[in-house]
Amino acid sequence: MMVRTAQNRQPQALDREQQVRLDARPLYIAAGSDTRIWLAGRALGIQREERAEQFFPLQRLSRVHSSTHVAWSSEALLACAERGISVVFVSDDGEIAARLLGRPGERDELLWRFEELLMLPQADALYERWLNTTRARIAYWACSRLGAPEGARDPRTGRAWIEHQAQQYGGSRGAERSRQWLRSLAYQWTAAHLHDLGFGRNTELGQIGEPSLGRDLAELLMWYLEPPRIGWLRRRFEAASHRSERLRLPRHLDTVHLFESRAARVSQRGRDITNSLHRWLISVT
């Protein structure tokens, strides 16, 4: 793989370590209480009852999405933290139960700009205005893609309209499950992305403080996931109707596949959001 440097505009080869890091992938562990994870040298070892052990090199992992039923060793968790691999623990209903953030990335321009914003006396009002404007823009796009009426394309009415569509195609439980699971995946991606941008050690500022940047940006990203979610639920509904079968509830694994099948697009949309925030911060700080 080649990159161009800003200095000479000439292609420059990435070394093996950089290339491996760029090729890192998320690891999803949705298993029962019989699953155990430990540190096996430079890899995570995963053992399930009556199954062969599996090993996942840490350098190949970008983040870990784990069921709350999985038993982790402290050495495995600390190894993830040391390498900057975030670990999010998710319940059976898709709720985030806990998260582990390790060392942050080296790019801190966005962090620095955000800290500058929070020093302004009108910071809360400015940030809320940006968030509302951005939310309205993305919600309008999502609702338009789904064919919502013109009067149902703002965030409040658009959300209700989308959920009505989801319940029609997936039932109330199916709509809730798919929304919760995708929302937790969107949050995990956002947390890892902010981590790369330097927010790891500033958890109070970037993740759980006020404003909660991780939560807010994940909510914006979730709007981009609504068209594929509704399209997926509709296809499941039509397939079951065509075969005259009872509609089954969505599985967590299916939702993960839906998210990962759009991994490149999700990554681009997520970066579009933080780039938009960065440009706005430059204009106000």
Side-chain angles (χ1 to χ4, degrees):
M1 182 174 180
M2 309 291 285
V3 295
R4 291 184 180 275
T5 64
Q7 200 169 31
N8 55 26
R9 301 294 182 184
Q10 295 300 314
Q12 189 176 61
L14 295 177
D15 60 35
R16 179 171 176 77
E17 183 178 350
Q18 290 173 314
Q19 180 63 57
V20 168
R21 191 59 187 161
L22 286 173
D23 291 338
R25 295 291 184 267
L27 173 64
Y28 298 94
I29 310 171
S33 56
D34 64 333
T35 303
R36 183 175 67 89
I37 299 180
W38 76 98
L39 182 63
R42 297 182 180 180
L44 291 183
I46 300 182
Q47 184 177 40
R48 298 179 176 89
E49 289 184 1
E50 300 180 356
R51 295 187 186 182
E53 297 175 347
Q54 293 178 290
F55 298 94
F56 298 88
L58 289 166
Q59 63 180 350
R60 294 285 186 180
L61 300 180
S62 59
R63 61 187 188 275
V64 180
H65 189 276
S66 173
S67 165
T68 53
H69 300 297
V70 175
W72 281 74
S73 73
S74 58
E75 291 82 3
L77 287 173
L78 289 173
C80 289
E82 180 70 20
R83 285 184 167 268
I85 301 169
S86 63
V87 182
V88 175
F89 294 92
V90 183
S91 69
D92 294 339
D93 296 326
E95 292 288 348
I96 295 174
R99 59 186 179 272
L100 170 73
L101 298 176
R103 293 181 173 179
E106 298 177 353
R107 298 170 293 167
D108 58 358
E109 167 69 12
L110 182 65
L111 171 62
W112 176 76
R113 292 284 181 180
F114 199 70
E115 289 176 332
E116 287 286 302
L117 170 71
L118 296 184
M119 293 176 65
L120 300 176
Q122 69 276 30
D124 290 345
L126 288 172
Y127 175 73
E128 193 67 24
R129 188 181 309 155
W130 174 83
L131 183 62
N132 290 337
T133 300
T134 306
R135 181 188 293 119
R137 173 176 58 82
I138 301 176
Y140 187 90
W141 174 89
C143 294
S144 299
R145 287 292 299 269
L146 288 169
E150 189 67 33
R153 297 182 180 182
D154 62 278
R156 184 177 61 83
T157 57
R159 170 61 57 206
W161 186 86
I162 287 174
E163 284 311 305
H164 178 70
Q165 298 296 307
Q167 290 175 14
Q168 277 191 319
Y169 296 128
S172 58
R173 287 192 64 197
E176 182 180 9
R177 279 189 175 189
S178 61
R179 182 183 69 252
Q180 292 276 37
W181 286 334
L182 277 180
R183 188 171 63 183
S184 70
L185 293 169
Y187 178 85
Q188 186 186 5
W189 186 94
T190 302
H193 181 46
L194 287 175
H195 195 74
D196 290 340
L197 294 175
F199 282 79
R201 287 198 184 97
N202 294 273
T203 303
E204 294 79 13
L205 171 63
Q207 308 298 322
I208 60 175
E210 289 300 331
S212 176
L213 191 58
R215 179 198 63 202
D216 293 340
L217 299 190
E219 184 227 338
L220 296 178
L221 182 60
M222 184 62 195
W223 282 103
Y224 283 120
L225 292 170
E226 291 296 6
R229 177 172 78 107
I230 299 302
W232 173 60
L233 290 174
R234 182 174 61 247
R235 290 191 296 274
R236 294 179 71 256
F237 175 81
E238 291 173 349
S241 299
H242 180 72
R243 296 192 296 263
S244 300
E245 296 177 352
R246 181 176 62 85
L247 182 65
R248 297 181 179 180
L249 285 172
R251 299 181 305 165
H252 181 262
L253 181 61
D254 297 329
T255 314
V256 170
H257 285 162
L258 174 66
F259 184 84
E260 282 301 312
S261 69
R262 289 159 174 79
R265 181 62 61 87
V266 169
S267 179
Q268 183 60 54
R269 294 298 192 186
R271 285 173 169 79
D272 287 345
I273 292 171
T274 50
N275 288 341
S276 173
L277 174 62
H278 191 189
R279 291 192 299 270
W280 173 77
L281 287 171
I282 291 174
S283 71
V284 298
T285 58

